[in-house]
Amino acid sequence: MSSFTLIDYIIFVVYILGTALIGASFGRKQKSTKDYFLGGRSIPWWAIGLSVMATQASAITFIGAPGWGYDGGLTRMATYINVPLAMAFLIATIVPFFYRTEVYTAYEYLERRFDVKTRSLTAGLFLIARGLATGVVLYAPALVLSVVTGININVTIIVMAVIAVSYTVLGGISAVIWTDVIQMFVLWLGAVLSVFIIFQDVPGGWGEVMSTAADTGMLQSLDFSFDLSVEYSIWAGIFGGFFLHAAYFGTDQSQIQRVLTSKSIRASKLSLVLGGILLIPQMLLFILIGVLLYIFYQYAGDPNIDNLNELFPRFVVNELPVGISGLIIAGVFAAAMSSLDSALNSLSAVSIRDFYSKFIRRDASEEHYLKASRYATVFWGIYATIFAFFAGNLGPVIEAVNQVGSYFYGALLGVFVLAIFTRRVNGTSAFIGVIAGMVSVWAVTVFGEISWLWNNMVGAVVAIGVGYLVSMVTPAPAAEKIQGLTLGKIQEGIATRAETAESVDVVEEEKETTRWPIYLVLYFFIVIAFLLYLQNM
């Protein structure tokens, strides 16, 4: 479009290339897969937390959330209100297990606790789902940015893929996290500037905006209906959404891998606290932009768009100052790459750790595995690019991909709950539980009329129930098999260390973190109170 000037293009290109160069620079010190996948376990907690935020604020979210707000107000906030509760659960349970066992992938823990087939099943489910979603991560923003800038969509797909694959191949997880930190600040800058300009351009400013939003029902975010078919009721958000986000942040390798890069368990938990606190205001900001745009266009005239995903990018290009538009559109590209790079690195990690080194080359050198990891990253980058070219022909499937996680996230969370909280369950019963959980989600999707958010709860509950029932008629695992891998055994280990004065400082740090989940639960109630305040303005 004509509003996207030469200056904007220059800023756009410089920013993208600069980000890629910064990411690639991290590859010089990498000597092993521990460096490549875990950053040598030396990355600061605040950088990990911001990286998690950046991936959550992907290009699809950055572009799509304002469209949600423009179309339906704050109703979709129900999806995110559970995040502090999910983070509190992870801090208290799952994260310590992963960190203490020094695994590279979440699924390695399942082999230690259960068996190889359970690890392979869950790792395979991750590869299928995340590989598919990665193609959409490429396609969706490329489509919108093509419309906004006039660049051919095939070009935008290839450019994004080549840049993201290049610096991820070279820089590994360190490149992913530190480039995400940069991109997070750019996204926030764009959102804040957009809000400021909207308030400047709407007659009456803040008072008029909030009054109009309240009068039109755009600030209604909490639906207390007990109807299970209501897609974004508060109950679906709290309960179904809790299972979704607990599974996403706790069992999806693209998320948990970041947590494992920290220096200590305390730092891992701090990164989740940061995400648990900031994710809600971040999503509220993006959705609120859509509400503000609805009011803005009441005065500025119909935006004349066919796709709500084009709403915010067109506003950025047409209404923001020269230069700022280029920076923010570059940020949208960067957001897409922040989701792409993390997905590629985690797909590579699971491919190498859970399959290649397990079944193909068991005793190769670290140099060989590092090289194989980079080849795996390229493979998944090509896979995503190919899928992105065909994604435009899939129609409604693009929307379905955003909900595909609900088919397996609940079952995955269920098997981790069985692993951590029970001693009776063995590998066979856990394996059957995962399959039963996914089948149950398929059944309620086909034969029931409930919000997709409930799918995650259904999958988890069925996986836990079936897995435990099957374990009652199968042999229990030997005591030495589960030593240090269940909640009770971990607590016993901490007590022993405290009694023997071993690692006193570490033990004291761990005791300090026991209060953090309580703070997150209190924060949850503060969020509910604030949304109720907005709703009753």
Side-chain angles (χ1 to χ4, degrees), residues 19 22-30 32-44 47-48 51 167-182 257-258 261-262 341-342 345 374:
T19 300
I22 291 172
S25 68
F26 287 97
R28 291 176 296 181
K29 298 181 180 180
Q30 292 175 350
S32 67
T33 52
K34 182 177 181 180
D35 296 330
Y36 190 71
F37 292 134
L38 300 180
R41 292 189 185 270
S42 61
I43 297 178
I48 299 169
S51 177
Y167 74 72
T168 306
V169 165
L170 295 174
I173 192 66
S174 296
V176 169
I177 291 175
W178 287 111
T179 54
D180 283 354
V181 170
I182 297 171
Q257 188 171 333
R258 289 176 171 84
T261 65
S262 60
D341 58 21
S342 61
N345 190 262
R374 289 182 166 136

mmCIF file of all heavy atoms in Angstrom, residues 19 22-30 32-44 47-48 51 167-182 257-258 261-262 341-342 345 374:
data_model
loop_
_atom_site.group_PDB
_atom_site.id
_atom_site.type_symbol
_atom_site.label_atom_id
_atom_site.label_comp_id
_atom_site.label_asym_id
_atom_site.label_seq_id
_atom_site.Cartn_x
_atom_site.Cartn_y
_atom_site.Cartn_z
ATOM 1 N N THR A 19 18.148 -8.617 13.610
ATOM 2 C CA THR A 19 17.686 -9.678 14.504
ATOM 3 C C THR A 19 18.317 -11.012 14.129
ATOM 4 O O THR A 19 18.761 -11.783 14.993
ATOM 5 C CB THR A 19 16.148 -9.802 14.446
ATOM 6 O OG1 THR A 19 15.556 -8.562 14.851
ATOM 7 C CG2 THR A 19 15.655 -10.917 15.347
ATOM 8 N N ILE A 22 22.029 -11.085 15.165
ATOM 9 C CA ILE A 22 22.175 -11.253 16.618
ATOM 10 C C ILE A 22 21.929 -12.707 16.998
ATOM 11 O O ILE A 22 22.689 -13.301 17.772
ATOM 12 C CB ILE A 22 21.188 -10.322 17.365
ATOM 13 C CG1 ILE A 22 21.611 -8.869 17.189
ATOM 14 C CG2 ILE A 22 21.139 -10.687 18.854
ATOM 15 C CD1 ILE A 22 20.603 -7.867 17.729
ATOM 16 N N GLY A 23 20.886 -13.292 16.433
ATOM 17 C CA GLY A 23 20.583 -14.687 16.730
ATOM 18 C C GLY A 23 21.690 -15.625 16.295
ATOM 19 O O GLY A 23 22.079 -16.539 17.036
ATOM 20 N N ALA A 24 22.219 -15.400 15.097
ATOM 21 C CA ALA A 24 23.259 -16.287 14.574
ATOM 22 C C ALA A 24 24.552 -16.200 15.379
ATOM 23 O O ALA A 24 25.325 -17.166 15.444
ATOM 24 C CB ALA A 24 23.535 -15.948 13.111
ATOM 25 N N SER A 25 24.788 -15.053 16.018
ATOM 26 C CA SER A 25 26.048 -14.858 16.745
ATOM 27 C C SER A 25 26.199 -15.804 17.932
ATOM 28 O O SER A 25 27.307 -16.030 18.415
ATOM 29 C CB SER A 25 26.153 -13.406 17.228
ATOM 30 O OG SER A 25 25.178 -13.127 18.229
ATOM 31 N N PHE A 26 25.094 -16.356 18.421
ATOM 32 C CA PHE A 26 25.175 -17.233 19.586
ATOM 33 C C PHE A 26 25.746 -18.606 19.248
ATOM 34 O O PHE A 26 26.051 -19.386 20.146
ATOM 35 C CB PHE A 26 23.788 -17.403 20.219
ATOM 36 C CG PHE A 26 23.315 -16.179 20.956
ATOM 37 C CD1 PHE A 26 22.470 -15.271 20.338
ATOM 38 C CD2 PHE A 26 23.735 -15.931 22.247
ATOM 39 C CE1 PHE A 26 22.029 -14.141 20.996
ATOM 40 C CE2 PHE A 26 23.302 -14.796 22.917
ATOM 41 C CZ PHE A 26 22.450 -13.893 22.294
ATOM 42 N N GLY A 27 25.888 -18.910 17.969
ATOM 43 C CA GLY A 27 26.357 -20.229 17.580
ATOM 44 C C GLY A 27 27.846 -20.441 17.750
ATOM 45 O O GLY A 27 28.319 -21.575 17.744
ATOM 46 N N ARG A 28 28.593 -19.376 17.944
ATOM 47 C CA ARG A 28 30.050 -19.503 17.978
ATOM 48 C C ARG A 28 30.568 -20.278 19.182
ATOM 49 O O ARG A 28 31.603 -20.937 19.109
ATOM 50 C CB ARG A 28 30.679 -18.105 17.968
ATOM 51 C CG ARG A 28 30.512 -17.368 16.641
ATOM 52 C CD ARG A 28 31.057 -15.965 16.702
ATOM 53 N NE ARG A 28 30.314 -15.140 17.660
ATOM 54 C CZ ARG A 28 30.578 -13.858 17.880
ATOM 55 N NH1 ARG A 28 31.578 -13.263 17.258
ATOM 56 N NH2 ARG A 28 29.852 -13.169 18.753
ATOM 57 N N LYS A 29 29.856 -20.229 20.293
ATOM 58 C CA LYS A 29 30.341 -20.874 21.518
ATOM 59 C C LYS A 29 29.722 -22.248 21.771
ATOM 60 O O LYS A 29 29.995 -22.858 22.799
ATOM 61 C CB LYS A 29 30.063 -19.960 22.719
ATOM 62 C CG LYS A 29 30.782 -18.621 22.652
ATOM 63 C CD LYS A 29 30.465 -17.784 23.886
ATOM 64 C CE LYS A 29 31.185 -16.432 23.832
ATOM 65 N NZ LYS A 29 30.886 -15.600 25.019
ATOM 66 N N GLN A 30 28.921 -22.720 20.855
ATOM 67 C CA GLN A 30 28.230 -23.976 21.076
ATOM 68 C C GLN A 30 29.111 -25.173 20.700
ATOM 69 O O GLN A 30 29.583 -25.263 19.577
ATOM 70 C CB GLN A 30 26.926 -24.008 20.274
ATOM 71 C CG GLN A 30 25.908 -23.005 20.791
ATOM 72 C CD GLN A 30 24.678 -22.937 19.933
ATOM 73 O OE1 GLN A 30 24.624 -23.490 18.841
ATOM 74 N NE2 GLN A 30 23.665 -22.234 20.412
ATOM 75 N N SER A 32 28.125 -28.481 22.151
ATOM 76 C CA SER A 32 27.379 -29.713 22.436
ATOM 77 C C SER A 32 25.888 -29.470 22.276
ATOM 78 O O SER A 32 25.441 -28.327 22.126
ATOM 79 C CB SER A 32 27.673 -30.188 23.865
ATOM 80 O OG SER A 32 27.139 -29.251 24.799
ATOM 81 N N THR A 33 25.129 -30.564 22.335
ATOM 82 C CA THR A 33 23.676 -30.430 22.255
ATOM 83 C C THR A 33 23.126 -29.752 23.507
ATOM 84 O O THR A 33 22.049 -29.150 23.476
ATOM 85 C CB THR A 33 23.006 -31.807 22.092
ATOM 86 O OG1 THR A 33 23.477 -32.687 23.125
ATOM 87 C CG2 THR A 33 23.315 -32.399 20.730
ATOM 88 N N LYS A 34 23.835 -29.845 24.630
ATOM 89 C CA LYS A 34 23.402 -29.122 25.830
ATOM 90 C C LYS A 34 23.449 -27.625 25.582
ATOM 91 O O LYS A 34 22.551 -26.881 26.003
ATOM 92 C CB LYS A 34 24.285 -29.490 27.024
ATOM 93 C CG LYS A 34 23.856 -28.812 28.326
ATOM 94 C CD LYS A 34 24.723 -29.258 29.492
ATOM 95 C CE LYS A 34 24.272 -28.595 30.787
ATOM 96 N NZ LYS A 34 25.087 -29.004 31.954
ATOM 97 N N ASP A 35 24.477 -27.153 24.892
ATOM 98 C CA ASP A 35 24.555 -25.738 24.517
ATOM 99 C C ASP A 35 23.462 -25.388 23.516
ATOM 100 O O ASP A 35 22.817 -24.338 23.616
ATOM 101 C CB ASP A 35 25.923 -25.412 23.909
ATOM 102 C CG ASP A 35 27.064 -25.589 24.891
ATOM 103 O OD1 ASP A 35 26.821 -25.395 26.098
ATOM 104 O OD2 ASP A 35 28.176 -25.936 24.456
ATOM 105 N N TYR A 36 23.240 -26.280 22.555
ATOM 106 C CA TYR A 36 22.320 -25.990 21.452
ATOM 107 C C TYR A 36 20.865 -25.998 21.909
ATOM 108 O O TYR A 36 20.075 -25.127 21.528
ATOM 109 C CB TYR A 36 22.517 -27.027 20.339
ATOM 110 C CG TYR A 36 21.802 -26.691 19.048
ATOM 111 C CD1 TYR A 36 22.253 -25.650 18.245
ATOM 112 C CD2 TYR A 36 20.695 -27.417 18.642
ATOM 113 C CE1 TYR A 36 21.610 -25.344 17.061
ATOM 114 C CE2 TYR A 36 20.047 -27.127 17.451
ATOM 115 C CZ TYR A 36 20.506 -26.079 16.665
ATOM 116 O OH TYR A 36 19.849 -25.775 15.486
ATOM 117 N N PHE A 37 20.494 -26.974 22.737
ATOM 118 C CA PHE A 37 19.096 -27.119 23.158
ATOM 119 C C PHE A 37 18.784 -26.458 24.492
ATOM 120 O O PHE A 37 17.642 -26.084 24.749
ATOM 121 C CB PHE A 37 18.721 -28.602 23.240
ATOM 122 C CG PHE A 37 18.680 -29.301 21.904
ATOM 123 C CD1 PHE A 37 19.284 -30.535 21.735
ATOM 124 C CD2 PHE A 37 18.033 -28.718 20.821
ATOM 125 C CE1 PHE A 37 19.240 -31.187 20.506
ATOM 126 C CE2 PHE A 37 17.993 -29.355 19.592
ATOM 127 C CZ PHE A 37 18.595 -30.594 19.433
ATOM 128 N N LEU A 38 19.791 -26.331 25.379
ATOM 129 C CA LEU A 38 19.536 -25.803 26.720
ATOM 130 C C LEU A 38 20.357 -24.558 27.042
ATOM 131 O O LEU A 38 20.296 -24.066 28.174
ATOM 132 C CB LEU A 38 19.826 -26.882 27.778
ATOM 133 C CG LEU A 38 18.993 -28.169 27.669
ATOM 134 C CD1 LEU A 38 19.397 -29.139 28.771
ATOM 135 C CD2 LEU A 38 17.507 -27.865 27.739
ATOM 136 N N GLY A 39 21.113 -24.040 26.063
ATOM 137 C CA GLY A 39 21.878 -22.826 26.308
ATOM 138 C C GLY A 39 22.886 -22.977 27.431
ATOM 139 O O GLY A 39 23.239 -21.992 28.098
ATOM 140 N N GLY A 40 23.351 -24.232 27.645
ATOM 141 C CA GLY A 40 24.302 -24.460 28.727
ATOM 142 C C GLY A 40 23.692 -24.270 30.104
ATOM 143 O O GLY A 40 24.414 -24.136 31.094
ATOM 144 N N ARG A 41 22.361 -24.235 30.196
ATOM 145 C CA ARG A 41 21.651 -23.967 31.455
ATOM 146 C C ARG A 41 22.184 -22.711 32.137
ATOM 147 O O ARG A 41 22.478 -22.710 33.345
ATOM 148 C CB ARG A 41 21.760 -25.165 32.412
ATOM 149 C CG ARG A 41 21.007 -26.421 31.942
ATOM 150 C CD ARG A 41 20.981 -27.462 33.049
ATOM 151 N NE ARG A 41 20.387 -28.716 32.613
ATOM 152 C CZ ARG A 41 19.092 -29.013 32.694
ATOM 153 N NH1 ARG A 41 18.255 -28.112 33.170
ATOM 154 N NH2 ARG A 41 18.632 -30.189 32.310
ATOM 155 N N SER A 42 22.301 -21.631 31.382
ATOM 156 C CA SER A 42 22.887 -20.410 31.945
ATOM 157 C C SER A 42 22.111 -19.147 31.577
ATOM 158 O O SER A 42 22.612 -18.044 31.757
ATOM 159 C CB SER A 42 24.338 -20.269 31.444
ATOM 160 O OG SER A 42 24.360 -20.155 30.023
ATOM 161 N N ILE A 43 20.894 -19.289 31.089
ATOM 162 C CA ILE A 43 20.134 -18.129 30.627
ATOM 163 C C ILE A 43 19.338 -17.539 31.786
ATOM 164 O O ILE A 43 18.712 -18.279 32.559
ATOM 165 C CB ILE A 43 19.207 -18.517 29.465
ATOM 166 C CG1 ILE A 43 20.060 -18.982 28.274
ATOM 167 C CG2 ILE A 43 18.314 -17.363 29.050
ATOM 168 C CD1 ILE A 43 19.273 -19.439 27.077
ATOM 169 N N PRO A 44 19.337 -16.198 31.965
ATOM 170 C CA PRO A 44 18.630 -15.557 33.081
ATOM 171 C C PRO A 44 17.128 -15.823 33.051
ATOM 172 O O PRO A 44 16.530 -15.937 31.977
ATOM 173 C CB PRO A 44 18.923 -14.056 32.871
ATOM 174 C CG PRO A 44 20.106 -14.001 31.974
ATOM 175 C CD PRO A 44 20.044 -15.223 31.117
ATOM 176 N N ALA A 47 14.874 -13.343 31.003
ATOM 177 C CA ALA A 47 14.915 -13.525 29.549
ATOM 178 C C ALA A 47 14.048 -14.708 29.138
ATOM 179 O O ALA A 47 13.346 -14.652 28.118
ATOM 180 C CB ALA A 47 16.358 -13.730 29.083
ATOM 181 N N ILE A 48 14.079 -15.781 29.933
ATOM 182 C CA ILE A 48 13.236 -16.942 29.637
ATOM 183 C C ILE A 48 11.765 -16.549 29.713
ATOM 184 O O ILE A 48 10.963 -16.893 28.841
ATOM 185 C CB ILE A 48 13.526 -18.079 30.633
ATOM 186 C CG1 ILE A 48 14.991 -18.537 30.526
ATOM 187 C CG2 ILE A 48 12.587 -19.260 30.404
ATOM 188 C CD1 ILE A 48 15.425 -19.462 31.645
ATOM 189 N N SER A 51 10.779 -14.530 26.760
ATOM 190 C CA SER A 51 10.730 -15.379 25.574
ATOM 191 C C SER A 51 9.412 -16.138 25.508
ATOM 192 O O SER A 51 8.806 -16.272 24.442
ATOM 193 C CB SER A 51 11.909 -16.356 25.581
ATOM 194 O OG SER A 51 11.856 -17.225 24.480
ATOM 195 N N TYR A 167 19.090 -18.418 11.584
ATOM 196 C CA TYR A 167 19.652 -18.080 12.893
ATOM 197 C C TYR A 167 19.325 -19.127 13.955
ATOM 198 O O TYR A 167 20.057 -19.268 14.940
ATOM 199 C CB TYR A 167 19.277 -16.663 13.345
ATOM 200 C CG TYR A 167 17.853 -16.422 13.809
ATOM 201 C CD1 TYR A 167 17.391 -16.912 15.024
ATOM 202 C CD2 TYR A 167 16.992 -15.617 13.066
ATOM 203 C CE1 TYR A 167 16.112 -16.651 15.471
ATOM 204 C CE2 TYR A 167 15.711 -15.340 13.502
ATOM 205 C CZ TYR A 167 15.270 -15.862 14.707
ATOM 206 O OH TYR A 167 14.004 -15.579 15.152
ATOM 207 N N THR A 168 18.263 -19.907 13.753
ATOM 208 C CA THR A 168 17.979 -20.994 14.694
ATOM 209 C C THR A 168 18.974 -22.127 14.510
ATOM 210 O O THR A 168 19.440 -22.729 15.489
ATOM 211 C CB THR A 168 16.541 -21.519 14.504
ATOM 212 O OG1 THR A 168 15.622 -20.427 14.590
ATOM 213 C CG2 THR A 168 16.192 -22.534 15.576
ATOM 214 N N VAL A 169 19.318 -22.443 13.261
ATOM 215 C CA VAL A 169 20.317 -23.474 12.979
ATOM 216 C C VAL A 169 21.651 -23.098 13.606
ATOM 217 O O VAL A 169 22.326 -23.919 14.229
ATOM 218 C CB VAL A 169 20.481 -23.676 11.459
ATOM 219 C CG1 VAL A 169 21.751 -24.461 11.148
ATOM 220 C CG2 VAL A 169 19.270 -24.405 10.891
ATOM 221 N N LEU A 170 22.020 -21.843 13.480
ATOM 222 C CA LEU A 170 23.325 -21.404 13.961
ATOM 223 C C LEU A 170 23.344 -21.138 15.463
ATOM 224 O O LEU A 170 24.305 -21.462 16.153
ATOM 225 C CB LEU A 170 23.765 -20.141 13.215
ATOM 226 C CG LEU A 170 24.009 -20.306 11.712
ATOM 227 C CD1 LEU A 170 24.293 -18.951 11.070
ATOM 228 C CD2 LEU A 170 25.170 -21.264 11.460
ATOM 229 N N GLY A 171 22.264 -20.537 15.965
ATOM 230 C CA GLY A 171 22.284 -20.061 17.343
ATOM 231 C C GLY A 171 21.609 -20.938 18.371
ATOM 232 O O GLY A 171 21.826 -20.761 19.574
ATOM 233 N N GLY A 172 20.758 -21.872 17.956
ATOM 234 C CA GLY A 172 20.090 -22.750 18.904
ATOM 235 C C GLY A 172 19.124 -22.018 19.822
ATOM 236 O O GLY A 172 18.613 -20.944 19.496
ATOM 237 N N ILE A 173 18.890 -22.588 21.005
ATOM 238 C CA ILE A 173 17.905 -22.038 21.937
ATOM 239 C C ILE A 173 18.323 -20.666 22.455
ATOM 240 O O ILE A 173 17.464 -19.823 22.755
ATOM 241 C CB ILE A 173 17.676 -23.015 23.123
ATOM 242 C CG1 ILE A 173 16.436 -22.594 23.934
ATOM 243 C CG2 ILE A 173 18.908 -23.100 23.999
ATOM 244 C CD1 ILE A 173 15.141 -22.699 23.195
ATOM 245 N N SER A 174 19.619 -20.407 22.559
ATOM 246 C CA SER A 174 20.062 -19.082 23.006
ATOM 247 C C SER A 174 19.616 -18.008 22.017
ATOM 248 O O SER A 174 19.156 -16.935 22.414
ATOM 249 C CB SER A 174 21.590 -19.050 23.154
ATOM 250 O OG SER A 174 22.016 -19.947 24.157
ATOM 251 N N ALA A 175 19.737 -18.311 20.725
ATOM 252 C CA ALA A 175 19.271 -17.368 19.704
ATOM 253 C C ALA A 175 17.767 -17.162 19.812
ATOM 254 O O ALA A 175 17.265 -16.039 19.694
ATOM 255 C CB ALA A 175 19.632 -17.887 18.313
ATOM 256 N N VAL A 176 17.047 -18.259 20.051
ATOM 257 C CA VAL A 176 15.593 -18.184 20.174
ATOM 258 C C VAL A 176 15.204 -17.234 21.300
ATOM 259 O O VAL A 176 14.391 -16.315 21.129
ATOM 260 C CB VAL A 176 15.001 -19.585 20.436
ATOM 261 C CG1 VAL A 176 13.530 -19.483 20.833
ATOM 262 C CG2 VAL A 176 15.164 -20.471 19.216
ATOM 263 N N ILE A 177 15.799 -17.421 22.466
ATOM 264 C CA ILE A 177 15.390 -16.654 23.647
ATOM 265 C C ILE A 177 15.782 -15.190 23.529
ATOM 266 O O ILE A 177 14.964 -14.287 23.775
ATOM 267 C CB ILE A 177 15.986 -17.287 24.923
ATOM 268 C CG1 ILE A 177 15.304 -18.641 25.183
ATOM 269 C CG2 ILE A 177 15.836 -16.358 26.122
ATOM 270 C CD1 ILE A 177 15.875 -19.420 26.350
ATOM 271 N N TRP A 178 17.019 -14.913 23.131
ATOM 272 C CA TRP A 178 17.460 -13.516 23.135
ATOM 273 C C TRP A 178 16.836 -12.702 22.001
ATOM 274 O O TRP A 178 16.564 -11.510 22.177
ATOM 275 C CB TRP A 178 18.993 -13.447 23.080
ATOM 276 C CG TRP A 178 19.603 -13.846 24.387
ATOM 277 C CD1 TRP A 178 20.320 -14.965 24.658
ATOM 278 C CD2 TRP A 178 19.525 -13.129 25.626
ATOM 279 N NE1 TRP A 178 20.692 -15.003 25.981
ATOM 280 C CE2 TRP A 178 20.230 -13.892 26.601
ATOM 281 C CE3 TRP A 178 18.941 -11.917 26.012
ATOM 282 C CZ2 TRP A 178 20.348 -13.472 27.935
ATOM 283 C CZ3 TRP A 178 19.052 -11.510 27.342
ATOM 284 C CH2 TRP A 178 19.747 -12.275 28.268
ATOM 285 N N THR A 179 16.580 -13.316 20.860
ATOM 286 C CA THR A 179 15.858 -12.578 19.814
ATOM 287 C C THR A 179 14.399 -12.375 20.214
ATOM 288 O O THR A 179 13.791 -11.351 19.881
ATOM 289 C CB THR A 179 15.920 -13.308 18.458
ATOM 290 O OG1 THR A 179 15.458 -14.655 18.603
ATOM 291 C CG2 THR A 179 17.341 -13.311 17.905
ATOM 292 N N ASP A 180 13.839 -13.326 20.952
ATOM 293 C CA ASP A 180 12.476 -13.157 21.450
ATOM 294 C C ASP A 180 12.380 -11.962 22.401
ATOM 295 O O ASP A 180 11.374 -11.238 22.412
ATOM 296 C CB ASP A 180 12.016 -14.417 22.196
ATOM 297 C CG ASP A 180 11.626 -15.555 21.258
ATOM 298 O OD1 ASP A 180 11.614 -15.310 20.030
ATOM 299 O OD2 ASP A 180 11.355 -16.656 21.744
ATOM 300 N N VAL A 181 13.405 -11.771 23.228
ATOM 301 C CA VAL A 181 13.411 -10.634 24.159
ATOM 302 C C VAL A 181 13.332 -9.320 23.386
ATOM 303 O O VAL A 181 12.549 -8.422 23.727
ATOM 304 C CB VAL A 181 14.670 -10.675 25.054
ATOM 305 C CG1 VAL A 181 14.807 -9.371 25.834
ATOM 306 C CG2 VAL A 181 14.609 -11.862 26.004
ATOM 307 N N ILE A 182 14.131 -9.210 22.336
ATOM 308 C CA ILE A 182 14.099 -7.992 21.507
ATOM 309 C C ILE A 182 12.716 -7.812 20.895
ATOM 310 O O ILE A 182 12.132 -6.716 20.922
ATOM 311 C CB ILE A 182 15.165 -8.089 20.395
ATOM 312 C CG1 ILE A 182 16.574 -8.161 20.993
ATOM 313 C CG2 ILE A 182 15.054 -6.886 19.448
ATOM 314 C CD1 ILE A 182 17.652 -8.469 19.973
ATOM 315 N N GLN A 257 11.086 -26.403 27.166
ATOM 316 C CA GLN A 257 12.517 -26.372 26.855
ATOM 317 C C GLN A 257 13.159 -25.079 27.333
ATOM 318 O O GLN A 257 14.303 -25.068 27.780
ATOM 319 C CB GLN A 257 12.732 -26.549 25.353
ATOM 320 C CG GLN A 257 14.195 -26.722 24.962
ATOM 321 C CD GLN A 257 14.339 -27.116 23.499
ATOM 322 O OE1 GLN A 257 13.444 -27.715 22.914
ATOM 323 N NE2 GLN A 257 15.457 -26.781 22.908
ATOM 324 N N ARG A 258 12.418 -23.973 27.267
ATOM 325 C CA ARG A 258 12.956 -22.707 27.757
ATOM 326 C C ARG A 258 13.217 -22.768 29.257
ATOM 327 O O ARG A 258 14.241 -22.299 29.754
ATOM 328 C CB ARG A 258 11.964 -21.572 27.467
ATOM 329 C CG ARG A 258 11.829 -21.175 26.032
ATOM 330 C CD ARG A 258 10.735 -20.121 25.948
ATOM 331 N NE ARG A 258 10.656 -19.521 24.635
ATOM 332 C CZ ARG A 258 9.993 -20.049 23.629
ATOM 333 N NH1 ARG A 258 9.379 -21.205 23.791
ATOM 334 N NH2 ARG A 258 9.934 -19.444 22.455
ATOM 335 N N THR A 261 16.441 -24.172 30.459
ATOM 336 C CA THR A 261 17.700 -23.472 30.164
ATOM 337 C C THR A 261 18.187 -22.625 31.334
ATOM 338 O O THR A 261 19.276 -22.055 31.261
ATOM 339 C CB THR A 261 17.541 -22.553 28.939
ATOM 340 O OG1 THR A 261 16.592 -21.506 29.246
ATOM 341 C CG2 THR A 261 17.064 -23.324 27.723
ATOM 342 N N SER A 262 17.423 -22.526 32.400
ATOM 343 C CA SER A 262 17.764 -21.637 33.506
ATOM 344 C C SER A 262 18.877 -22.216 34.374
ATOM 345 O O SER A 262 19.223 -23.392 34.286
ATOM 346 C CB SER A 262 16.528 -21.361 34.362
ATOM 347 O OG SER A 262 16.027 -22.565 34.891
ATOM 348 N N ASP A 341 10.981 -19.937 15.367
ATOM 349 C CA ASP A 341 12.293 -20.396 15.825
ATOM 350 C C ASP A 341 12.180 -21.324 17.026
ATOM 351 O O ASP A 341 12.881 -22.334 17.121
ATOM 352 C CB ASP A 341 13.235 -19.222 16.116
ATOM 353 C CG ASP A 341 12.712 -18.244 17.163
ATOM 354 O OD1 ASP A 341 11.844 -18.637 17.957
ATOM 355 O OD2 ASP A 341 13.176 -17.086 17.178
ATOM 356 N N SER A 342 11.277 -20.999 17.954
ATOM 357 C CA SER A 342 11.127 -21.872 19.120
ATOM 358 C C SER A 342 10.567 -23.233 18.723
ATOM 359 O O SER A 342 10.976 -24.267 19.259
ATOM 360 C CB SER A 342 10.212 -21.214 20.157
ATOM 361 O OG SER A 342 8.925 -20.993 19.621
ATOM 362 N N ASN A 345 13.415 -25.274 17.011
ATOM 363 C CA ASN A 345 14.416 -25.783 17.947
ATOM 364 C C ASN A 345 13.859 -26.930 18.773
ATOM 365 O O ASN A 345 14.547 -27.925 19.024
ATOM 366 C CB ASN A 345 14.891 -24.645 18.855
ATOM 367 C CG ASN A 345 16.110 -25.035 19.685
ATOM 368 O OD1 ASN A 345 15.986 -25.395 20.835
ATOM 369 N ND2 ASN A 345 17.289 -24.970 19.073
ATOM 370 N N ARG A 374 21.280 -29.622 13.854
ATOM 371 C CA ARG A 374 21.142 -28.525 12.900
ATOM 372 C C ARG A 374 20.471 -29.004 11.612
ATOM 373 O O ARG A 374 19.648 -28.293 11.031
ATOM 374 C CB ARG A 374 22.512 -27.907 12.622
ATOM 375 C CG ARG A 374 23.030 -27.131 13.831
ATOM 376 C CD ARG A 374 24.363 -26.469 13.596
ATOM 377 N NE ARG A 374 24.628 -25.489 14.636
ATOM 378 C CZ ARG A 374 25.791 -25.347 15.261
ATOM 379 N NH1 ARG A 374 26.807 -26.140 14.941
ATOM 380 N NH2 ARG A 374 25.949 -24.424 16.190
#
